[in-house]
Structure formats: structure tokens, C-alpha cells
Amino acid sequence: MKIRLAFDDFELNGYELISPLKGKNPLKLDEYIDNGEADEIICDSILEYVPVSNLMDFIKVLATKIKHGGTIVFTGQDLMMLAEQYIRGEIDILSLNKTLYGLANHAWNFKLSCVTLSDVNEICQQLNLKVLERKLNNTEFVIKVQRQ
């Protein structure tokens, strides 16, 4: 089973989409995924909707949902890179705020935290998830980890 957690309605071929636009809350995984059931979970800009004080617990729950040897792919905006772009004048305050806090056009579309690639990497290592890949492209990061 392959799953994509997101706050949009983009259907990725071969992946079950869990999104509020499909009537499913991607932060309530126990309602949709049994422990050890998933081969891969893509968390497409999901961490921004998890309060920073709950990030470790959320990623820990994700790790229980994938099979041993399964993978989790996290994507998101890197706070450090966004701040650097703002300081250099490459993005304005309106763009920065939209990226950091969401569009606020729905009750669920309010972002609750900001992270960096390094933050996610550190949490995954603390949870004994093997980091397979780390990429930073402009302000967007991707990190792929594996459950041992």
C-alpha cells in the first residue's frame, strides 16, 4: 500500500490520497492506516500543519504505519532558506507570510509550524529512521527515510 498525505486534491498514480479535500484528515492516521500496513508514505508539505511541539510524535506514528524496510518521503519549505530569501529581498513580506502560514481560505488551511531540512533529519535520526536521501532545492526540501 502506498499513501500520499496532503492538503490538496492531486491524485498521484498508485497512491491512496488522504486529504481534507477528500474528506480525510491526514493528521489522523489511525483512522486510515494500520500499523505496518504501508510500503511508502509521502508527506507532501504535511509537517507545516503539525504543531512544532508534536512533530516528533507525529513522525513516530508515521514510522509505525510503514512496514520494516518501508519508506517515508517528507517534502516542505525550509524555514532557513525562506528567511534568507526574505533578507536578501528576493521575496516580499506577503509571499513569506503566505508560505509560512498558509492561504487561510479554509478552516484546515492554517499552517502551525516551520521546519528546516536539518530539523526533520535530526528527528528522523533520533527515531532510528535511516536517511536515504536529502535534497534542498531553493526553499523546498525532500528527505526520504526508511524504517529499519
Side-chain angles (χ1 to χ4, degrees), residues 124-135:
C124 290
Q125 287 183 341
Q126 288 175 13
L127 294 173
N128 295 316
L129 296 168
K130 181 180 179 183
V131 177
L132 301 176
E133 185 178 339
R134 289 171 30 133
K135 291 182 188 176

Side-chain angles (χ1 to χ4, degrees), residues 3-33:
I3 296 166
R4 179 174 174 265
L5 306 176
F7 281 84
D8 61 37
D9 60 355
F10 176 73
E11 298 277 352
L12 185 60
N13 192 27
Y15 288 79
E16 178 184 337
L17 176 62
I18 297 177
S19 167
L21 296 175
K22 297 291 183 178
K24 297 179 177 180
N25 184 341
L27 303 180
K28 296 186 177 183
L29 298 177
D30 288 330
E31 295 179 16
Y32 315 109
I33 311 167

